[in-house]
Amino acid sequence: MLTLRLTLAPPLALLLRLLLVCASAGLGLLLLATLSFALDNPDQRAAALVRLVWCLVPLAVTAHLAAALARTEPGSETRRGLDSAGLGPVRLPLLAARTAALPAFVGSALAVLVAARSGIASSSGVLTAPRLPDALARLPLAEQSLPTPAAATLLSTVPLLTALAAAWGARPGAPRPWAGTEDTGAAAASATGARSGTLATAGPRKVSCQAGLLVGAVLTAGGLLLAAYAARDAAVGGSLGLGAWTFPAGDVAASPLAGGWLLAAFGLVLAGPGLVMLSGRLLGAVRPGPVRLLAGRTLIREAPFLGRELGALSAVAAALVALVRARLTDAGAAGLPGPLVGASVVLSGCCVAGAALAALVRARRARAPLRELLARIGASRKLARAVTLVRACVTLVVFAGPAVLAGMLTALPPH
Amino acid sequence: MAAPPDDVLWARGLHYAYDGSPALQGVSIGVREGEILAVAGPRGSGKTTLLRCLSGQLLPLKGEVWFNSAPVHTLGRAARERLRLHRFGWIDSSPRLVPELTVWENAALPLLLHGSGYRAARSAAHAWLERLDVGDCASRPPSALLQAQRQRVAVARALVHSPTVLFADEPTAPLHQNDRAQVLRALSAAARSHGITVLLASHDFTLDQAARTADATGAALADRIVGLTDGRRARTPATGAVPAGSESAAACSLSV
């Protein structure tokens, strides 16, 4: 109860928690549907396995959201109070794990409820239940009962992984936006070892950002190439696949085309920190004035913990661009997924956006000492607003470019 | 009541309260041009609030603040910001350096905010950092410095644009005795050589002779000491001139 009262207050946390419930419910339904498919088609083992592997993507996104939530809550002030009350950096991850596992558990329970209700409805035809059309989106339990141990195992992975991710996000050594500030209290709250650690890791982190940019660019290009190759192959041969590894044309999920998309998205995520750092460098280069100096340097400092989230967001934007293209050219209409898969895709996108929002809020909170200092010195509010505007515009441009480019270059499944 | 002609900054009957809890209850104070005025009092006596009211960061609920024969308490927010940026300097009890800027960029921040050129700001900041003995770490990040060095960078930032009045709110609070004396001497020497008026708040003015000669609390550097207790001017200690003032001023000019 105390935990709830400590962390429920801000609307952002409420929103993220609600999102976590929805995401884990959708994920639970997806997992049950996969199990149902495997039971219905015992001879198509490879296809069932591919479906299960694809469930890892929303699972990873949900875990990412849980980690972002754990990093955002509780705020630094509360954190300091909790630390002095004995709930320090060692026990806080446990608390975060518990608070993140609860919404995930509720989501899984919702999934079971929806599945069971729809199953009863379809068998007896009496109860009104959410009846989703189409065989592609067939809900589990529609025709035969699922084995309870298998369903329980599948569903328990969601709260378990969410809890682990939250604990990982709240661990003492996690990168924090206020690391490196020498007198902001929050730094004092973290152990002195962490402070010396930031000094030691300042160099390697910069290098890792640049290396991430390089690796991410290579992966994105590779993924786009793979997708293009697979699409061309399919257009020529009428089946999706490389060489002997062929799949029926309708099954986009099991083709290298989707693998290429995933690789490109992963590359965008990896390139994120490097992109933020590069834009900060460019902004602060060549005799900057106060606006460019402050905006650029802030971007450089925030790159390690803001970049991944923004990169993921740009991957989602690229997917949206590709989707719009598919709608406009009417390509891939045959391979469009059913409502359940569509819902999971939308939920995954929302989760990525939520995690990015949480990261932005954290960055804003970390800038509070700077705002206070500027007020003390007497910098005008216009200047502070200009710094924010310049930073936002540069970030938008830097991430919109690759997103639109990747979205335009992505190969779509053939007709 | 007209202010004495040599008062650069004066306030009358200041009242301020934080959400109803009173911090200042009718404080009147006058600061002469070029003097170092120490505001002494225990924690919670309203020193910081007084300094923030005088520098225009807070508007007093009642009372007046005048700077150079012009009212501050009637100014709008933007005008007060401009006043702070151009005429006032501020040193906090913690350095409050911007972690992502280098040391010289931190020191040059007020000049950059003024709109002066990059090169001019850079050379001015370097000159002040040299003067305060932190010139060799000018291009390092603040996190690579010792706390006393950071505090000296904060002093350089407050002085770099040659303000008329310098507000120092317990500038030596996070430092050890040796560093305290050094920072205070550097501060007072710089202020005297440039004719900058200084308001120095501190809670540990020990008014016995030993502490004055040890020079560790700033009492010896001040021309006058004003006591503050529970948001009011204290009757004791005496607000008269400190006899050691002139000697210490001579000592300061030798020390830096």
Side-chain angles (χ1 to χ4, degrees), chain A residues 148-173:
Chain A
T148 316
T153 308
L154 272 182
L155 283 181
S156 67
T157 53
V158 183
L160 206 65
L161 266 176
T162 314
L164 279 179
W168 176 254
R171 76 193 191 278

Side-chain angles (χ1 to χ4, degrees), chain A residues 183 287 297 301 375-376, chain B residues 84 92 96 100 105 119:
Chain A
D183 50 6
R287 291 197 210 157
R297 294 301 170 83
R301 187 168 63 96
R376 285 269 158 92
Chain B
R84 274 209 299 285
D92 242 309
R96 287 184 189 271
E100 54 260 38
E105 284 165 342
R119 279 212 187 131

Side-chain angles (χ1 to χ4, degrees), chain A:
Chain A
M1 206 53 215
L2 170 75
T3 324
L4 221 60
R5 272 167 53 196
L6 273 176
T7 55
L8 260 183
L12 174 78
L14 270 182
L15 182 75
L16 291 186
R17 218 149 279 173
L18 193 65
L19 205 56
L20 199 56
V21 170
C22 293
S24 48
L27 184 54
L29 276 180
L30 204 64
L31 285 170
L32 288 182
T34 312
L35 182 60
S36 173
F37 175 82
L39 286 176
D40 285 345
N41 311 293
D43 49 333
Q44 296 182 23
R45 284 195 188 156
L49 193 65
V50 162
R51 277 165 196 241
L52 192 62
V53 167
W54 270 103
C55 287
L56 285 181
V57 176
L59 194 63
V61 171
T62 310
H64 179 61
L65 178 69
L69 186 64
R71 267 185 229 124
T72 315
E73 295 302 325
S76 57
E77 283 301 308
T78 323
R79 205 177 274 260
R80 210 169 357 154
L82 287 176
D83 199 7
S84 57
L87 197 61
V90 177
R91 282 179 64 195
L92 204 59
L94 295 179
L95 181 74
R98 236 187 310 161
T99 38
L102 188 68
F105 184 75
V106 169
S108 292
L110 263 177
V112 169
L113 207 66
V114 170
R117 272 178 70 89
S118 74
I120 292 165
S122 62
S123 60
S124 66
V126 177
L127 286 171
T128 52
R131 219 188 269 245
L132 297 180
D134 191 13
L136 271 172
R138 192 188 301 147
L139 281 175
L141 289 182
E143 276 151 27
Q144 64 181 104
S145 63
L146 294 174
T148 316
T153 308
L154 272 182
L155 283 181
S156 67
T157 53
V158 183
L160 206 65
L161 266 176
T162 314
L164 279 179
W168 176 254
R171 76 193 191 278
R176 301 208 179 288
W178 49 79
T181 56
E182 83 283 359
D183 50 6
T184 53
S190 64
T192 46
R195 193 190 295 170
S196 58
T198 57
L199 289 181
T201 55
R205 195 181 288 162
K206 264 179 205 166
V207 173
S208 79
C209 278
Q210 285 154 0
L213 180 58
L214 211 65
V215 171
V218 168
L219 276 186
T220 308
L224 291 178
L225 272 179
L226 181 63
Y229 186 58
R232 198 201 58 178
D233 218 35
V236 170
S239 68
L240 285 165
L242 288 174
W245 204 50
T246 52
F247 287 91
D251 206 355
V252 175
S255 71
L257 182 64
W261 291 344
L262 200 62
L263 205 61
F266 192 58
L268 278 178
V269 172
L270 277 189
L275 272 179
V276 175
M277 184 167 271
L278 188 70
S279 60
R281 283 268 164 78
L282 288 181
L283 203 59
V286 197
R287 291 197 210 157
V291 174
R292 275 203 297 139
L293 188 71
L294 287 173
R297 294 301 170 83
T298 319
L299 277 180
I300 291 178
R301 187 168 63 96
E302 288 168 356
F305 62 91
L306 202 59
R308 292 258 158 90
E309 276 81 356
L310 290 179
L313 201 61
S314 75
V316 169
L320 275 180
V321 169
L323 200 67
V324 169
R325 256 181 69 216
R327 274 289 146 89
L328 286 181
T329 58
D330 211 26
L336 272 186
L340 195 56
V341 176
S344 328
V345 167
V346 169
L347 276 177
S348 297
C350 286
C351 282
V352 167
L357 194 66
L360 285 175
V361 166
R362 247 170 21 115
R364 189 183 146 71
R365 239 183 243 161
R367 280 182 225 125
L370 178 62
R371 276 197 298 275
E372 199 181 331
L373 169 76
L374 288 180
R376 285 269 158 92
I377 292 182
S380 61
R381 300 183 132 200
K382 220 185 281 173
L383 178 113
R385 255 179 256 138
V387 170
T388 311
L389 195 70
V390 165
R391 203 171 39 213
C393 286
V394 166
T395 315
L396 198 68
V397 167
V398 158
F399 277 98
V404 170
L405 202 68
M408 295 307 283
L409 292 180
T410 303
L412 298 173
H415 295 266

Side-chain angles (χ1 to χ4, degrees), chain B residues 188-206:
Chain B
S188 62
R192 295 224 191 261
S193 62
H194 283 65
I196 296 172
T197 311
V198 179
L199 258 96
L200 179 70
S202 185
H203 69 273
D204 64 349
F205 284 124
T206 331

